Amino acid sequence: MVTARSSSPRRLAPRRDLTPLFEPASVAVVGASDDPVKWGNWLARRALRGASRRSVYLVNHRGGEVMGRRAHRALSDLPETPDLAVLAVPPAALERAMDEAIAAGTRAVVVITAGSADGDAGGAREIALADRAREAGVILLGPNCLGIFDAAAELELVPNDLPRGSIGLLSQSGNLALEIGALAEAAGLGFSRFVSLGNQADLEAAELIQDLAEHDGTELIAIYLEDFRDGRAFARAAEIAIRAGKPIVLLAVEHSEAAARAVRSHTGALASDGPAINAACDAAGMHRVLAPQELVDLAQGLLGAGPPRGRRLAVLTDGGGHGGVAAALSRAAGLELPALSAELRQRLRAGLPPTAAVANPIDLAGGGESDVHSYDRTAGATLESGEVDAVLMSGYFGGYTDYAEALSRGEAAAAEALADAVERSGRPLVVQTMHPNGAAAQSLRRRGVPVYGTIERAVGVLAGLADRAGRDPRGVPALPSPAEPIAAASYMDARELLAAGGVPFEPARVVSTAATAVAAAAELGYPVVMKALGTLHKSDTGGVVLGLREERAVEAAFARLRGRVAPPAVVVERMAPLGDSVELIAGVRWDARFGPVALVGLGGVFTELLRDTAVALAPVDEPTARELLVSLRSAPLLLGARGRPPADLDAAASAVAALSRVAAAHPEIAELEVNPLLALPDGAVGLDARVLLRGEARQT
Amino acid sequence: MVTARSSSPRRLAPRRDLTPLFEPASVAVVGASDDPVKWGNWLARRALRGASRRSVYLVNHRGGEVMGRRAHRALSDLPETPDLAVLAVPPAALERAMDEAIAAGTRAVVVITAGSADGDAGGAREIALADRAREAGVILLGPNCLGIFDAAAELELVPNDLPRGSIGLLSQSGNLALEIGALAEAAGLGFSRFVSLGNQADLEAAELIQDLAEHDGTELIAIYLEDFRDGRAFARAAEIAIRAGKPIVLLAVEHSEAAARAVRSHTGALASDGPAINAACDAAGMHRVLAPQELVDLAQGLLGAGPPRGRRLAVLTDGGGHGGVAAALSRAAGLELPALSAELRQRLRAGLPPTAAVANPIDLAGGGESDVHSYDRTAGATLESGEVDAVLMSGYFGGYTDYAEALSRGEAAAAEALADAVERSGRPLVVQTMHPNGAAAQSLRRRGVPVYGTIERAVGVLAGLADRAGRDPRGVPALPSPAEPIAAASYMDARELLAAGGVPFEPARVVSTAATAVAAAAELGYPVVMKALGTLHKSDTGGVVLGLREERAVEAAFARLRGRVAPPAVVVERMAPLGDSVELIAGVRWDARFGPVALVGLGGVFTELLRDTAVALAPVDEPTARELLVSLRSAPLLLGARGRPPADLDAAASAVAALSRVAAAHPEIAELEVNPLLALPDGAVGLDARVLLRGEARQT
């Protein structure tokens, strides 16, 4: 499924009323069991917790009793039509159970059972199941899912207990969802809703994001996803939710040889490339994380610290060791620790021991121990100064009870005073303490101040917040109407396609004899370059001869190419000016889920060494292309580092944007690349071009 | 103090008998107090816990009773001479207390009191204190320290409770030590000995490392250090301990503007550069970490998993989500996940559900839930196959009790079977579980299997272990005898010094007129280069003219340089062949603590962009220099990437080694640098040289 090609990109998935799923008036658990190692037992036990809110029916084909209640033999035996049926039946019985649910008139079905014995997600059996549901107007969740949870509705159709809170969690992995739940609970957080996505045969993440965006009880959306399905629809739904004030934290495993081995065998999903996922995150404004703890930590930060403002940080500790560690980690994470102003330093110094440091990091130097309110006075003054975007407190706070009652007396008050200072200043405080489960830490969390047990995690959250500071979502671009597909994919085909789309190249002539080569050179003007066609990495195989300045050189080069690589044809091109240029790479790769993704980076031999690239969903316009170029680590080369003239960024951006438009209009293209794209002081010019059609093997 | 210069590098700090410190026959706490907010109270309380092992005397100048015991007014009042005295007195009373301790005949003194009111470590007052102790043959720990702890001796002269175990901890920060203690306890670990180093006026880390290396109860040494003092002695002591089988994990804050603001104000220590610390770690074989949790995690890994073997990892989970996350993080950390052999896959598949994945990651696909011994069978077979160096288990294991007694029954047995498999195979298993405090996790830890609560930490440990896999410590090189110091530091001085030491340069002539320039060019042979002397970054300011091929070009260039930069003199050099060369940077910087540190990296405009450098304690020999070059990320450029000819690594390594020898023989040099050092297909040649003497300001 490459939905970005087969469906209109502007269209969001059709909205359906998901009330029968989240707030059903009645529920039936099909496969309910007394056997404590069966899913039907775990689900039924928790379904019954909502019995005061709705009718809960247990269904078991053997009849009799389950959990001391009557077990109905079939859905058709129930005294009423259940809004929602949960199917936890053996795989062989799945279709029959589904038919019964439809026949009984249920409005939503949650399928716990794996859709097929071999775990082949997206297989014929699942498609048939989803088709049956859609024809009947029934919402289908799963198959191969863990269930569904709604805190406000007291709906617990899941095998485990989950904490309640304000996070809406969508997850394609049951066990990862349980881990996220355990970590959230430890952080004082929990779920407003949890949807185990399973194989998304019918209900997909995008539709659920739309729903969560409007769900009052949900303040933040957390997602673990392996298959993005219609990736553009997913990103667009995410963008809408984020613009509506609900941050999204996405845990996504990207395609790699090993990750693909894991994920493919799990749900049969087609994992997306890392660049495609990153491009979608920038487009929608999602925060991307790589592990469950990181997800929960960032969620705590986003819920507590609010929208991030910038990278300027003050570190506050009682002890130079904690200050040094926090400062070093913060800098390594790209945060800035500006020296505080003389005025603020003077203000901070009042009431601190003479050995205290107030320049940033701020070290109370035992001041916290002798007067615990040193913490809130210092943090408050620093937050209110506006000289930093956030304060990071690290170390001992929260543990003064260890020493003596006298010392702990003020700690609870100090915690409240810290939270007050945050509210007054409107700027975030993030706390790391070696006593993360102490009373003071819990008070802070209750007041919305994020508290972490290790400095790595606190710094990680601050860096994560700062990464999106002041950056609006880039927006999910619409795809152009497909152009007439190209059939051939030679160097000259790529060059012509790109040139027609507005990517500049030097003029060129295909030649087949030494004489026509000389004539072409004369026509184009010396110096010229000669390239052997038909080899991919021409420069690696000696298929390119540069700097031919006169007729005899052209003849000699032609003979050498013939002898060395025996190409089907040779092209003569006017040689571009190389001095003071920067070699870039610009390309687009079509991701199976997210469609065309544009990439720019430093080109030539440094492409693989530096891996300095920036990506965006294609097509990109000129301002976005420029933004990508300037975001490169090697941007100083373009901006005129060390006495070099600056490159013509407008021209380079224009070439990148043109390339991205061409590629986005050609769904038959798997990859389109200009490498190098030469950024000159006045202009830009492509020196090589490569196109790979879908289904063609990539040569490396 | 630049001890690498002022003392013999081969000499380790003099060994003293530290028994009075760690196993004193009697102890006196001076400043003991009933006031529960005073150090004298916290220390006395814990000192008394050892009262069954030794006499413990409380001293308070007011006399009377403290903690229901007699408080002696002075050390001279005690019925016997205490082996060890702990001084927790006001700063103003410190010298008198010290004099009394010496007069009383104590053999060791631990000074809790800060040495000076303004926190100025290394100040005159401290030096005087240390001198007094040394003259009297008394071991002095501190001042400004937290105390000392010896688990086997039941010696607790610290303000907090600490866990017992096999880690010897040396720390220059009290609060960080407490945090490390709390984290160690949570991991089931603890301390054999703990020494709070304070300002190291007398007893330094190096001497204590020597002692811990021979201490039976200590299996691993953990260190937090701000000031390395005699850095070479420190590194040499560490190397000896590591070669004796005691791994060292070092938490060190490196010099940065902000970190220096923190650390300087803390102990007045002079923080070392990151490169110097890294070079020392490689020389001694220490593991470097950046935060307390990372330290404890790696300690658990080193104690449990034993010496690392390599980077090949198998990931084992029950659920594809955990597998995908673990695989992605592992790859990002530089670990390899090889596809398992067909033979092993077949073996693993037996007894697993048909949907299980066995290629690596291994996904039990619910097999763990239905048969918990799937875990140990699979892990065991994989460890014993030898196809990987370690197995990483991630996800749910340890929580089956959540579901039903029936499922949990086998879990304890499975944990034991896992530990058995580790012992049989001799290869490590590292476990991440969402139930890190469960019974199964605790069983595993008891059997030495490292268990972590989050996947980031488990992967971090595996990467940390792999980083030193198969790498012997590089060794701490001896410094050569100082050569005749150089007085001037011009370009030509640097060039001559280096050339005399064996670094190749093209021949050059200093000229002062156009006519002498032309004559020099004729003598050297065209093409030549002309450089304006007296500017540091010549190429940034137009002070270099390349590719002069004949007389008139030399004259014109001379006139242009005169007009443009008006240099005091001009040098004419034969132009090096530039084609197919790689620009390197090679340099040595003298660190105040570790002495000369050699650095190589990619040169030219990429030096700052790539920050691709390798470092080693100088001087380096040719094989080490070659090792540094090959370890660069950009090494493919040197080895012949993408059709380029390989560079002459022998010549480049020889130039680097020569440079390092020159710099190491010149303690008056702060920095010596050749940038670029051109690595050619046949040879190497320096194109620029720069020397900075100590005390000169660095120009950027």
Side-chain angles (χ1 to χ4, degrees), chain A residues 452-510:
Chain A
Y452 303 96
T454 69
I455 188 63
E456 298 94 313
R457 290 165 51 202
V459 168
V461 167
L462 282 162
L465 293 175
D467 276 344
R468 292 242 167 269
R471 281 209 286 154
D472 271 340
R474 189 171 270 158
V476 182
L479 292 185
S481 308
E484 185 70 29
I486 61 165
S490 73
Y491 166 60
M492 290 306 286
D493 294 320
R495 215 175 179 284
E496 276 159 28
L497 179 71
L498 286 162
V503 180
F505 287 89
E506 292 289 347
R509 301 282 179 275
V510 178

Side-chain angles (χ1 to χ4, degrees), chain A residues 16 310 368 484 599:
Chain A
R16 292 182 283 186
E484 185 70 29
L599 173 149

Side-chain angles (χ1 to χ4, degrees), chain A residues 175 179 261 318 322 360 610, chain B residues 175 179 261 322 360 610:
Chain A
N175 275 352
E179 178 162 0
R261 282 198 298 262
D318 193 3
H322 275 108
N360 190 16
L610 264 177
Chain B
N175 275 352
E179 178 161 0
R261 282 198 299 261
H322 275 109
N360 190 16
L610 266 177

